[in-house]
Amino acid sequence: MEFDAPTFVEAPVSQDMAKPIVATAALSAGQVIFAEAATVASAGGMEPEEGFHEEDCDDEDCDGCAAIDEDDAAIEDTLDESEHDEVSAYVVEHFADLTAACEAFEALASSEVRKNLFKCFHLIDVDAKAGDTFLSLDVVAADIPATLDAARALREAHPAVIPASLTDDQVAHLIGVLHKHSIPLEDIGGSGLFFFVSKLKHSCRPNASYTDSGDAIWVTAIQPIAVGEEITVDFFDTHYMCLAERKEVLAEEGHVCSCAVCTGTAPDLTRSFKCQAAGCTEGIVHPTNNVYECMTCHAVWDAATIAAAVAVEETLMKELEIDSVDQLLVLVQQSPLHRFHHIFYSALEVLLEDQVADQNMTEDQAMVLMNAQAEALDYVVPFAHSEKVSVYDAIAQAHVEAGRISNATDAYTNAYHMCVMVFGPDSKTTMLFKNLMDHTPTNADEIAAAYGFDDNDDDE
């Protein structure tokens, strides 16, 4: 952990794991609620970049293929020596054979899932009660046949790896738990299982967020939370997904969301349309349970107006290709879709990604897009979010490069205040932006020094 934080049992939240986790004291925005170390965590395997060489190349002297071969050898799935104490002696001795047996099954094809499964087995060998903790977590019902096949095959091939106390159904359930509840861990390039975090409820309109560092996670209130209010987080980064996409993702992951948008009692802000009522030039129309109403003049669209707008929306979903800022701006101006619509937001993100890679637009054009991104996020995502930090950061750096230091300070100030709410006041990221706010860089070299880049780092 980057800083001291209460554990779950020390946190001002309810402790009955059979019930929703609620606040037992009023929580303020930016308050770190609790931190948790992973019960098990493992790095995953890496794959060479696609397109690095021709798959059917048979030239033994091809430099590209030679590089791939070297990479493949370097990233062979192995058990790090530091992990030997986390698994049984049998796993250490037979890891290669276990890997080969597991890779035949999709449910165990992931390197980190396999390693975490073996680590769970070891914990159960040491303390059988650990199995009760794992097995209390739910799984995706549709995954059960595949996980059961994998469990039976693993027992048949390597019976010694599975604790004697576990049935095939329980092994399958454990595999399902790892699939549903493992959380990606960026620092280690893998994932971990966090029992208490897994007990939190998903919401597309959360009141808390979680942040990973190493093999630990902390949970922060992103808005005031009242006594008795359930703690919710967004596990799937749904903040700019339209309702249909959210439902698809949640169904695949075995989660149900009861936020106002998902239950149809609040508008889907990601689907934004221009109001067509006379005199309402700035109104934005959103669907709420198939009722399309303007947020300004409250005009409600009839079936024909809805059909026409949705037809344009569906066409853009299938065919939209944006190559330039000017093309996007013209399309937004001519379209019945509002600039905050998720289709245009995605196009905007692509253009900005291309700018980072190719530097194919002017500084002014890039600033227009970044400001548009910030404006859209503020409207569509009415709560603190880490993506807002990234956008403010990009805006600040662009201002520094253009010599607008006062504007850069303002953007860094926005990033800092957002960090406090998303990551808490004591995180390294928050402290970084406090320093940038208080001591704003004035040129590229000072930016590199402030962020800790060295001369060999690639620009990101």
Side-chain angles (χ1 to χ4, degrees), residues 191-281:
S191 64
L193 184 62
F194 299 82
F195 177 71
F196 296 117
V197 174
S198 295
K199 286 291 187 177
L200 297 177
K201 184 178 180 180
H202 167 84
S203 175
C204 301
R205 290 290 182 90
N207 56 24
S209 67
Y210 66 89
T211 306
D212 64 283
S213 178
D215 62 354
I217 279 179
W218 68 88
V219 177
T220 309
I222 60 174
Q223 63 187 44
I225 301 175
V227 174
E229 185 177 351
E230 185 171 7
I231 311 298
T232 60
V233 297
D234 180 359
F235 282 113
F236 307 107
D237 220 13
T238 62
H239 62 286
Y240 226 112
M241 289 183 189
C242 66
L243 180 57
E245 184 180 1
R246 291 181 189 185
K247 288 187 174 181
E248 182 178 346
V249 168
L250 293 175
E252 289 176 355
E253 299 293 341
H255 284 260
V256 175
C257 181
S258 57
C259 78
V261 177
C262 288
T263 55
T265 59
D268 180 359
L269 300 181
T270 69
R271 294 183 65 206
S272 303
F273 302 88
K274 299 171 186 173
C275 183
Q276 299 178 19
C280 188
T281 58

Coordinates of all heavy atoms in Angstrom, one line a residue, residues 191-281:
S191 N -3.7 -10.4 -12.2 CA -5.0 -10.2 -11.5 C -4.9 -10.8 -10.1 O -4.0 -11.6 -9.8 CB -6.1 -10.7 -12.2 OG -6.0 -12.2 -12.3
G192 N -5.8 -10.4 -9.2 CA -5.9 -10.9 -7.9 C -7.3 -11.0 -7.4 O -8.2 -10.5 -8.0
L193 N -7.5 -11.8 -6.4 CA -8.8 -12.1 -5.8 C -8.8 -11.3 -4.4 O -8.0 -11.5 -3.6 CB -9.0 -13.6 -5.6 CG -10.4 -14.0 -5.0 CD1 -11.5 -13.6 -6.0 CD2 -10.4 -15.5 -4.8
F194 N -9.9 -10.5 -4.3 CA -10.0 -9.7 -3.1 C -11.4 -10.0 -2.5 O -12.4 -9.6 -3.1 CB -9.9 -8.2 -3.4 CG -8.6 -7.8 -4.0 CD1 -8.3 -8.0 -5.3 CD2 -7.6 -7.3 -3.2 CE1 -7.1 -7.6 -5.9 CE2 -6.4 -6.9 -3.7 CZ -6.1 -7.1 -5.0
F195 N -11.5 -10.7 -1.4 CA -12.7 -11.2 -0.8 C -13.7 -10.0 -0.5 O -14.8 -10.0 -0.9 CB -12.5 -12.0 0.4 CG -13.8 -12.5 1.1 CD1 -14.6 -13.4 0.4 CD2 -14.2 -11.9 2.3 CE1 -15.7 -13.9 1.0 CE2 -15.3 -12.4 2.9 CZ -16.1 -13.3 2.2
F196 N -13.2 -9.0 0.2 CA -14.1 -7.9 0.7 C -14.5 -7.0 -0.5 O -15.7 -6.6 -0.6 CB -13.4 -7.2 1.8 CG -13.2 -8.0 3.1 CD1 -11.9 -8.2 3.5 CD2 -14.3 -8.5 3.8 CE1 -11.7 -9.0 4.7 CE2 -14.1 -9.3 4.9 CZ -12.8 -9.5 5.4
V197 N -13.5 -6.7 -1.3 CA -13.9 -5.9 -2.5 C -14.9 -6.6 -3.4 O -15.9 -6.0 -3.9 CB -12.6 -5.5 -3.3 CG1 -13.0 -4.8 -4.6 CG2 -11.7 -4.7 -2.5
S198 N -14.8 -7.9 -3.5 CA -15.7 -8.7 -4.3 C -17.1 -8.7 -3.7 O -18.1 -8.9 -4.5 CB -15.2 -10.2 -4.4 OG -14.0 -10.2 -5.1
K199 N -17.2 -8.4 -2.4 CA -18.5 -8.4 -1.8 C -19.3 -7.0 -2.1 O -20.4 -6.9 -1.7 CB -18.4 -8.6 -0.3 CG -18.1 -10.1 0.1 CD -19.4 -10.9 -0.2 CE -19.2 -12.3 0.3 NZ -20.4 -13.2 0.1
L200 N -18.5 -6.0 -2.6 CA -19.2 -4.8 -2.9 C -20.1 -4.9 -4.1 O -19.9 -5.8 -5.0 CB -18.1 -3.7 -3.2 CG -17.2 -3.3 -2.0 CD1 -16.2 -2.3 -2.5 CD2 -18.0 -2.8 -0.8
K201 N -21.1 -4.1 -4.2 CA -22.1 -4.2 -5.3 C -21.7 -3.3 -6.4 O -21.2 -2.2 -6.2 CB -23.5 -3.8 -4.8 CG -24.6 -3.9 -5.8 CD -25.9 -3.5 -5.3 CE -27.0 -3.6 -6.3 NZ -28.3 -3.3 -5.7
H202 N -21.8 -3.8 -7.6 CA -21.6 -3.0 -8.8 C -22.7 -2.0 -9.0 O -23.9 -2.3 -8.8 CB -21.5 -3.9 -10.1 CG -21.5 -3.0 -11.3 ND1 -20.4 -2.4 -11.9 CD2 -22.6 -2.7 -12.1 CE1 -20.8 -1.7 -12.9 NE2 -22.1 -1.8 -13.1
S203 N -22.3 -0.8 -9.5 CA -23.3 0.2 -9.9 C -22.6 1.0 -11.0 O -21.5 1.4 -10.9 CB -23.7 1.1 -8.7 OG -24.6 2.1 -9.2
C204 N -23.4 1.3 -12.0 CA -23.0 2.2 -13.1 C -23.0 3.7 -12.6 O -22.4 4.5 -13.3 CB -23.9 2.1 -14.3 SG -23.9 0.4 -15.0
R205 N -23.6 3.9 -11.5 CA -23.6 5.2 -10.9 C -23.1 5.0 -9.4 O -23.8 5.1 -8.5 CB -25.0 5.9 -10.9 CG -25.5 6.3 -12.2 CD -24.7 7.5 -12.7 NE -25.1 8.0 -14.0 CZ -26.1 9.0 -14.2 NH1 -26.7 9.5 -13.1 NH2 -26.4 9.4 -15.4
P206 N -21.8 4.7 -9.3 CA -21.3 4.3 -8.0 C -21.1 5.5 -7.0 O -21.1 6.7 -7.4 CB -19.9 3.7 -8.3 CG -19.5 4.5 -9.5 CD -20.7 4.8 -10.3
N207 N -21.0 5.2 -5.7 CA -20.6 6.2 -4.8 C -19.2 6.0 -4.2 O -18.7 6.8 -3.4 CB -21.6 6.2 -3.6 CG -21.8 4.9 -2.9 OD1 -20.9 4.0 -3.0 ND2 -22.9 4.7 -2.3
A208 N -18.5 5.0 -4.8 CA -17.1 4.8 -4.4 C -16.3 4.3 -5.6 O -16.9 3.9 -6.6 CB -17.0 3.8 -3.2
S209 N -15.0 4.3 -5.5 CA -14.1 3.8 -6.5 C -13.0 2.9 -5.9 O -12.8 3.0 -4.6 CB -13.5 4.9 -7.3 OG -12.6 5.6 -6.5
Y210 N -12.4 2.1 -6.6 CA -11.3 1.3 -6.1 C -10.0 1.6 -6.9 O -10.1 1.8 -8.1 CB -11.6 -0.2 -6.0 CG -11.8 -0.9 -7.3 CD1 -10.7 -1.4 -8.0 CD2 -13.0 -1.0 -7.9 CE1 -10.9 -2.1 -9.2 CE2 -13.2 -1.7 -9.1 CZ -12.1 -2.2 -9.7 OH -12.3 -2.9 -10.9
T211 N -8.9 1.5 -6.3 CA -7.6 1.8 -6.9 C -6.7 0.7 -6.6 O -6.6 0.3 -5.4 CB -7.0 3.1 -6.4 OG1 -8.0 4.2 -6.6 CG2 -5.7 3.5 -7.2
D212 N -5.9 0.2 -7.6 CA -5.0 -0.9 -7.3 C -3.6 -0.4 -7.3 O -3.2 0.6 -8.0 CB -5.1 -2.0 -8.3 CG -4.7 -1.6 -9.7 OD1 -5.6 -0.9 -10.4 OD2 -3.6 -1.9 -10.2
S213 N -2.7 -0.9 -6.4 CA -1.3 -0.6 -6.3 C -0.6 -1.9 -5.9 O -0.8 -2.4 -4.8 CB -1.1 0.5 -5.4 OG 0.3 0.8 -5.2
G214 N 0.3 -2.4 -6.8 CA 0.9 -3.7 -6.5 C -0.1 -4.7 -6.4 O -0.9 -4.9 -7.3
D215 N -0.2 -5.5 -5.3 CA -1.2 -6.5 -5.1 C -2.2 -6.1 -4.1 O -2.8 -7.0 -3.4 CB -0.6 -7.9 -4.8 CG 0.2 -7.9 -3.5 OD1 0.3 -6.8 -2.9 OD2 0.7 -8.9 -3.1
A216 N -2.4 -4.8 -3.9 CA -3.4 -4.3 -3.0 C -4.4 -3.4 -3.6 O -4.2 -2.8 -4.7 CB -2.7 -3.5 -1.8
I217 N -5.5 -3.2 -3.0 CA -6.6 -2.3 -3.5 C -7.1 -1.4 -2.3 O -7.2 -1.9 -1.2 CB -7.7 -3.1 -4.1 CG1 -7.4 -3.5 -5.5 CG2 -9.1 -2.3 -4.1 CD1 -8.5 -4.3 -6.2
W218 N -7.4 -0.2 -2.6 CA -8.1 0.6 -1.6 C -9.4 1.2 -2.2 O -9.5 1.4 -3.4 CB -7.3 1.7 -1.0 CG -6.9 2.8 -1.8 CD1 -7.5 4.0 -2.0 CD2 -5.6 3.0 -2.6 NE1 -6.8 4.8 -2.9 CE2 -5.7 4.2 -3.2 CE3 -4.5 2.1 -2.8 CZ2 -4.6 4.7 -4.0 CZ3 -3.5 2.6 -3.6 CH2 -3.6 3.8 -4.2
V219 N -10.4 1.4 -1.4 CA -11.7 1.8 -1.8 C -11.9 3.2 -1.2 O -11.7 3.5 0.0 CB -12.8 0.9 -1.3 CG1 -14.2 1.4 -1.8 CG2 -12.6 -0.5 -1.9
T220 N -12.3 4.2 -2.1 CA -12.5 5.6 -1.7 C -13.9 6.0 -2.0 O -14.5 5.7 -3.1 CB -11.5 6.5 -2.5 OG1 -10.2 5.9 -2.4 CG2 -11.5 7.9 -2.0
A221 N -14.5 6.8 -1.1 CA -15.8 7.4 -1.4 C -15.6 8.5 -2.4 O -14.8 9.4 -2.1 CB -16.4 7.9 -0.1
I222 N -16.4 8.5 -3.5 CA -16.2 9.6 -4.4 C -17.3 10.6 -4.3 O -17.4 11.6 -5.0 CB -16.3 9.0 -5.9 CG1 -17.6 8.3 -6.2 CG2 -15.0 8.1 -6.1 CD1 -17.7 7.8 -7.6
Q223 N -18.2 10.4 -3.3 CA -19.2 11.4 -3.0 C -19.6 11.1 -1.5 O -19.3 10.1 -1.0 CB -20.4 11.3 -3.9 CG -21.1 9.9 -3.8 CD -22.2 9.8 -4.9 OE1 -22.0 10.1 -6.0 NE2 -23.4 9.3 -4.5
P224 N -20.3 12.0 -0.9 CA -20.7 11.8 0.5 C -21.6 10.5 0.6 O -22.5 10.4 -0.3 CB -21.5 13.0 0.9 CG -20.9 14.1 0.0 CD -20.6 13.4 -1.3
I225 N -21.4 9.7 1.5 CA -22.2 8.5 1.7 C -22.8 8.5 3.1 O -22.1 8.6 4.1 CB -21.3 7.2 1.5 CG1 -20.7 7.2 0.1 CG2 -22.2 5.9 1.7 CD1 -19.7 6.0 -0.1
A226 N -24.1 8.4 3.1 CA -24.8 8.5 4.4 C -24.8 7.1 5.2 O -24.6 6.1 4.6 CB -26.3 8.9 4.2
V227 N -25.0 7.2 6.5 CA -25.2 6.0 7.3 C -26.3 5.1 6.7 O -27.4 5.6 6.4 CB -25.5 6.4 8.8 CG1 -25.7 5.1 9.6 CG2 -24.3 7.2 9.3
G228 N -26.0 3.9 6.6 CA -27.0 2.9 6.0 C -27.0 2.8 4.5 O -27.7 1.9 4.0
E229 N -26.2 3.7 3.8 CA -26.2 3.6 2.4 C -25.2 2.6 1.9 O -24.1 2.5 2.4 CB -25.8 5.0 1.8 CG -25.9 5.1 0.3 CD -25.5 6.5 -0.2 OE1 -25.4 7.4 0.6 OE2 -25.3 6.6 -1.4
E230 N -25.6 1.8 0.9 CA -24.7 0.7 0.4 C -23.6 1.3 -0.3 O -23.7 2.2 -1.1 CB -25.5 -0.2 -0.5 CG -24.7 -1.4 -0.9 CD -25.6 -2.5 -1.6 OE1 -26.8 -2.2 -1.9 OE2 -25.1 -3.6 -1.9
I231 N -22.4 0.7 -0.1 CA -21.2 1.0 -0.8 C -21.2 0.4 -2.2 O -21.3 -0.9 -2.3 CB -19.9 0.6 -0.1 CG1 -20.0 1.0 1.4 CG2 -18.7 1.2 -0.8 CD1 -20.1 2.5 1.6
T232 N -21.1 1.2 -3.3 CA -21.1 0.6 -4.6 C -19.9 1.1 -5.4 O -19.4 2.2 -5.2 CB -22.4 1.0 -5.4 OG1 -22.5 2.4 -5.5 CG2 -23.6 0.5 -4.7
V233 N -19.4 0.3 -6.3 CA -18.3 0.6 -7.2 C -18.7 0.2 -8.6 O -19.5 -0.7 -8.8 CB -17.0 0.0 -6.8 CG1 -16.5 0.5 -5.4 CG2 -17.1 -1.5 -6.8
D234 N -18.0 0.8 -9.6 CA -18.1 0.4 -11.0 C -17.0 -0.6 -11.4 O -15.9 -0.2 -11.5 CB -18.1 1.6 -11.9 CG -18.3 1.3 -13.4 OD1 -18.4 0.1 -13.7 OD2 -18.3 2.2 -14.2
F235 N -17.3 -1.9 -11.4 CA -16.3 -2.9 -11.7 C -15.9 -3.0 -13.2 O -14.9 -3.5 -13.5 CB -16.8 -4.3 -11.3 CG -16.7 -4.5 -9.8 CD1 -17.9 -4.7 -9.0 CD2 -15.5 -4.6 -9.1 CE1 -17.8 -4.9 -7.7 CE2 -15.4 -4.8 -7.8 CZ -16.6 -5.0 -7.0
F236 N -16.7 -2.4 -14.1 CA -16.5 -2.7 -15.5 C -16.4 -1.4 -16.3 O -16.5 -1.4 -17.6 CB -17.7 -3.5 -16.0 CG -17.9 -4.7 -15.2 CD1 -19.0 -4.8 -14.3 CD2 -17.0 -5.8 -15.3 CE1 -19.2 -6.0 -13.6 CE2 -17.2 -6.9 -14.5 CZ -18.3 -7.0 -13.6
D237 N -16.0 -0.3 -15.7 CA -15.8 1.0 -16.4 C -16.9 1.3 -17.4 O -16.7 1.5 -18.6 CB -14.5 0.8 -17.2 CG -13.6 2.1 -17.2 OD1 -14.0 3.0 -16.3 OD2 -12.7 2.2 -17.9
T238 N -18.1 1.3 -16.8 CA -19.3 1.5 -17.7 C -19.7 3.0 -17.9 O -20.7 3.3 -18.5 CB -20.5 0.8 -17.0 OG1 -20.8 1.4 -15.7 CG2 -20.3 -0.7 -16.9
H239 N -18.8 3.9 -17.4 CA -19.2 5.3 -17.3 C -19.7 5.9 -18.6 O -20.5 6.8 -18.6 CB -18.1 6.1 -16.7 CG -16.9 6.1 -17.5 ND1 -16.0 5.1 -17.6 CD2 -16.3 7.1 -18.3 CE1 -15.0 5.4 -18.4 NE2 -15.2 6.6 -18.8
Y240 N -19.1 5.5 -19.7 CA -19.6 6.1 -21.0 C -20.1 5.0 -22.0 O -20.1 5.1 -23.2 CB -18.4 6.8 -21.7 CG -18.9 8.2 -22.2 CD1 -18.4 9.4 -21.7 CD2 -19.7 8.3 -23.3 CE1 -18.8 10.6 -22.1 CE2 -20.1 9.5 -23.8 CZ -19.7 10.7 -23.2 OH -20.1 11.9 -23.7
M241 N -20.6 3.9 -21.4 CA -21.3 2.9 -22.2 C -22.8 3.2 -22.2 O -23.4 3.6 -21.2 CB -21.2 1.5 -21.5 CG -19.8 0.9 -21.5 SD -19.9 -0.8 -20.8 CE -18.2 -1.2 -20.7
C242 N -23.4 3.0 -23.4 CA -24.8 3.2 -23.5 C -25.5 2.1 -22.7 O -24.9 1.0 -22.4 CB -25.3 3.2 -25.0 SG -25.0 1.7 -25.9
L243 N -26.8 2.2 -22.5 CA -27.5 1.3 -21.6 C -27.4 -0.1 -22.2 O -27.2 -1.1 -21.5 CB -28.9 1.7 -21.5 CG -29.8 0.8 -20.6 CD1 -29.3 0.6 -19.2 CD2 -31.3 1.4 -20.5
A244 N -27.6 -0.3 -23.5 CA -27.6 -1.6 -24.2 C -26.3 -2.3 -24.0 O -26.2 -3.5 -23.7 CB -28.0 -1.5 -25.6
E245 N -25.2 -1.5 -24.1 CA -23.9 -2.1 -24.0 C -23.6 -2.5 -22.5 O -23.1 -3.6 -22.2 CB -22.8 -1.2 -24.5 CG -21.4 -1.8 -24.4 CD -20.3 -0.8 -24.9 OE1 -20.7 0.4 -25.3 OE2 -19.1 -1.2 -24.9
R246 N -24.1 -1.7 -21.6 CA -23.9 -2.0 -20.2 C -24.6 -3.3 -19.8 O -24.0 -4.1 -19.2 CB -24.5 -0.9 -19.3 CG -23.8 0.4 -19.3 CD -24.5 1.4 -18.4 NE -23.9 2.8 -18.6 CZ -24.3 3.8 -17.9 NH1 -25.2 3.7 -16.9 NH2 -23.7 5.0 -18.0
K247 N -25.8 -3.4 -20.3 CA -26.6 -4.6 -20.0 C -25.9 -5.9 -20.6 O -25.9 -6.9 -19.9 CB -28.0 -4.5 -20.5 CG -28.9 -3.5 -19.7 CD -30.3 -3.5 -20.1 CE -31.2 -2.7 -19.2 NZ -32.6 -2.7 -19.6
E248 N -25.3 -5.8 -21.7 CA -24.6 -6.9 -22.4 C -23.4 -7.3 -21.6 O -23.2 -8.4 -21.3 CB -24.3 -6.5 -23.8 CG -23.6 -7.6 -24.6 CD -23.2 -7.3 -26.0 OE1 -23.8 -6.3 -26.5 OE2 -22.5 -8.0 -26.6
V249 N -22.6 -6.3 -21.2 CA -21.4 -6.5 -20.4 C -21.8 -7.1 -19.0 O -21.1 -8.1 -18.6 CB -20.6 -5.2 -20.2 CG1 -19.5 -5.4 -19.2 CG2 -20.0 -4.8 -21.5
L250 N -22.7 -6.6 -18.4 CA -23.1 -7.1 -17.0 C -23.6 -8.5 -17.1 O -23.4 -9.3 -16.2 CB -24.1 -6.1 -16.4 CG -23.6 -4.7 -16.0 CD1 -24.7 -3.9 -15.5 CD2 -22.5 -4.8 -15.0
A251 N -24.4 -8.8 -18.2 CA -25.0 -10.1 -18.3 C -23.8 -11.1 -18.5 O -23.8 -12.2 -17.9 CB -25.9 -10.2 -19.5
E252 N -22.8 -10.8 -19.3 CA -21.7 -11.7 -19.6 C -20.9 -11.9 -18.3 O -20.4 -13.0 -18.1 CB -20.8 -11.1 -20.6 CG -21.4 -11.1 -22.0 CD -20.5 -10.4 -23.0 OE1 -19.4 -9.9 -22.6 OE2 -20.8 -10.4 -24.2
E253 N -20.8 -10.9 -17.4 CA -20.0 -11.0 -16.2 C -20.9 -11.5 -15.0 O -20.3 -11.6 -13.9 CB -19.4 -9.6 -15.9 CG -18.5 -9.1 -16.9 CD -17.2 -9.9 -17.1 OE1 -16.9 -10.6 -16.2 OE2 -16.6 -9.7 -18.1
G254 N -22.1 -11.7 -15.2 CA -23.0 -12.3 -14.2 C -23.3 -11.3 -13.1 O -23.5 -11.6 -11.9
H255 N -23.4 -10.0 -13.5 CA -23.8 -8.9 -12.5 C -25.1 -8.3 -12.9 O -25.5 -8.2 -14.1 CB -22.7 -7.9 -12.5 CG -21.5 -8.3 -11.7 ND1 -21.2 -7.9 -10.4 CD2 -20.4 -9.1 -12.1 CE1 -20.1 -8.4 -10.0 NE2 -19.6 -9.1 -11.0
V256 N -25.8 -7.8 -11.9 CA -27.0 -7.0 -12.2 C -26.8 -5.6 -11.5 O -26.3 -5.5 -10.4 CB -28.2 -7.7 -11.5 CG1 -29.5 -6.8 -11.7 CG2 -28.4 -9.1 -12.2
C257 N -27.2 -4.6 -12.3 CA -27.1 -3.2 -11.7 C -28.5 -2.7 -11.5 O -29.4 -2.8 -12.3 CB -26.4 -2.3 -12.7 SG -26.2 -0.6 -12.1
S258 N -28.6 -2.1 -10.3 CA -29.9 -1.5 -10.0 C -29.9 0.1 -9.9 O -30.7 0.7 -9.3 CB -30.4 -2.0 -8.6 OG -29.4 -1.7 -7.6
C259 N -28.9 0.6 -10.6 CA -28.8 2.1 -10.7 C -30.0 2.6 -11.5 O -30.7 1.9 -12.2 CB -27.5 2.6 -11.3 SG -27.4 2.5 -13.1
A260 N -30.3 3.9 -11.3 CA -31.5 4.5 -12.0 C -31.5 4.4 -13.5 O -32.5 4.2 -14.1 CB -31.6 6.0 -11.6
V261 N -30.3 4.4 -14.1 CA -30.2 4.3 -15.6 C -30.6 2.9 -16.0 O -31.4 2.7 -16.9 CB -28.8 4.7 -16.1 CG1 -28.7 4.5 -17.6 CG2 -28.5 6.2 -15.7
C262 N -30.0 1.9 -15.3 CA -30.2 0.5 -15.7 C -31.6 0.1 -15.4 O -32.2 -0.8 -16.1 CB -29.2 -0.4 -15.0 SG -27.5 -0.3 -15.6
T263 N -32.3 0.7 -14.4 CA -33.7 0.3 -14.1 C -34.7 1.2 -14.9 O -35.9 1.0 -14.7 CB -33.9 0.4 -12.6 OG1 -33.6 1.7 -12.2 CG2 -33.1 -0.6 -11.8
G264 N -34.2 2.1 -15.7 CA -35.1 2.9 -16.5 C -35.8 4.0 -15.9 O -36.8 4.5 -16.4
T265 N -35.3 4.5 -14.7 CA -35.9 5.6 -14.1 C -35.1 6.9 -14.2 O -35.5 7.9 -13.7 CB -36.1 5.3 -12.6 OG1 -34.8 5.0 -12.0 CG2 -37.0 4.1 -12.4
A266 N -34.0 6.8 -14.9 CA -33.2 8.0 -15.2 C -32.7 7.9 -16.6 O -32.6 6.9 -17.2 CB -32.0 8.1 -14.2
P267 N -32.4 9.1 -17.3 CA -32.1 9.1 -18.7 C -30.7 8.5 -18.9 O -29.8 8.6 -18.1 CB -32.1 10.6 -19.0 CG -31.9 11.3 -17.8 CD -32.6 10.5 -16.7
D268 N -30.5 7.9 -20.1 CA -29.2 7.4 -20.6 C -28.5 8.6 -21.2 O -28.7 8.9 -22.4 CB -29.5 6.3 -21.6 CG -28.1 5.7 -22.1 OD1 -27.1 6.2 -21.7 OD2 -28.2 4.7 -22.9
L269 N -27.6 9.2 -20.4 CA -27.0 10.4 -20.9 C -26.0 10.2 -22.0 O -25.6 11.1 -22.8 CB -26.3 11.1 -19.7 CG -27.1 11.5 -18.5 CD1 -26.3 12.2 -17.5 CD2 -28.3 12.4 -19.0
T270 N -25.6 8.9 -22.2 CA -24.6 8.6 -23.3 C -25.3 8.7 -24.6 O -24.6 8.8 -25.7 CB -24.0 7.2 -23.1 OG1 -25.0 6.2 -23.3 CG2 -23.4 7.0 -21.7
R271 N -26.6 8.6 -24.7 CA -27.4 8.7 -25.9 C -28.0 10.1 -25.9 O -29.1 10.3 -25.4 CB -28.4 7.6 -26.1 CG -27.8 6.2 -26.2 CD -28.9 5.2 -26.4 NE -29.6 5.4 -27.7 CZ -30.8 5.0 -27.9 NH1 -31.5 4.4 -27.0 NH2 -31.4 5.2 -29.1
S272 N -27.2 11.0 -26.5 CA -27.6 12.4 -26.5 C -28.0 12.9 -27.9 O -27.3 12.6 -28.8 CB -26.5 13.3 -26.0 OG -26.0 12.9 -24.7
F273 N -29.2 13.5 -28.0 CA -29.7 14.0 -29.2 C -30.0 15.5 -29.1 O -30.3 16.0 -28.0 CB -30.9 13.3 -29.7 CG -30.7 11.8 -29.8 CD1 -30.9 10.9 -28.7 CD2 -30.4 11.2 -31.0 CE1 -30.7 9.6 -28.8 CE2 -30.2 9.8 -31.1 CZ -30.4 9.0 -30.0
K274 N -30.0 16.2 -30.2 CA -30.4 17.6 -30.2 C -31.9 17.8 -30.2 O -32.6 17.1 -30.9 CB -29.8 18.3 -31.5 CG -28.3 18.3 -31.6 CD -27.9 18.8 -33.0 CE -26.4 18.6 -33.2 NZ -26.0 18.9 -34.6
C275 N -32.3 18.7 -29.3 CA -33.8 19.0 -29.2 C -34.2 19.6 -30.5 O -33.5 20.5 -31.1 CB -34.1 19.9 -28.1 SG -35.9 20.2 -27.9
Q276 N -35.3 19.2 -31.0 CA -35.8 19.8 -32.3 C -37.0 20.7 -32.1 O -37.7 21.1 -33.1 CB -36.2 18.6 -33.3 CG -35.0 17.7 -33.6 CD -35.4 16.6 -34.5 OE1 -36.4 16.6 -35.2 NE2 -34.5 15.6 -34.5
A277 N -37.4 21.0 -30.9 CA -38.5 21.9 -30.6 C -38.1 23.3 -31.0 O -36.9 23.8 -30.8 CB -38.9 21.9 -29.1
A278 N -39.0 24.1 -31.5 CA -38.8 25.5 -31.9 C -38.3 26.3 -30.7 O -38.9 26.3 -29.6 CB -40.1 26.1 -32.5
G279 N -37.2 27.0 -30.9 CA -36.7 27.9 -29.9 C -35.8 27.2 -28.9 O -35.2 27.9 -28.1
C280 N -35.7 25.9 -28.9 CA -34.9 25.2 -27.9 C -33.6 24.8 -28.6 O -33.4 23.7 -29.0 CB -35.6 24.0 -27.3 SG -34.7 23.2 -25.9
T281 N -32.7 25.8 -28.6 CA -31.4 25.6 -29.4 C -30.4 24.8 -28.6 O -29.5 24.2 -29.3 CB -30.9 26.9 -29.8 OG1 -30.6 27.7 -28.7 CG2 -31.8 27.7 -30.8

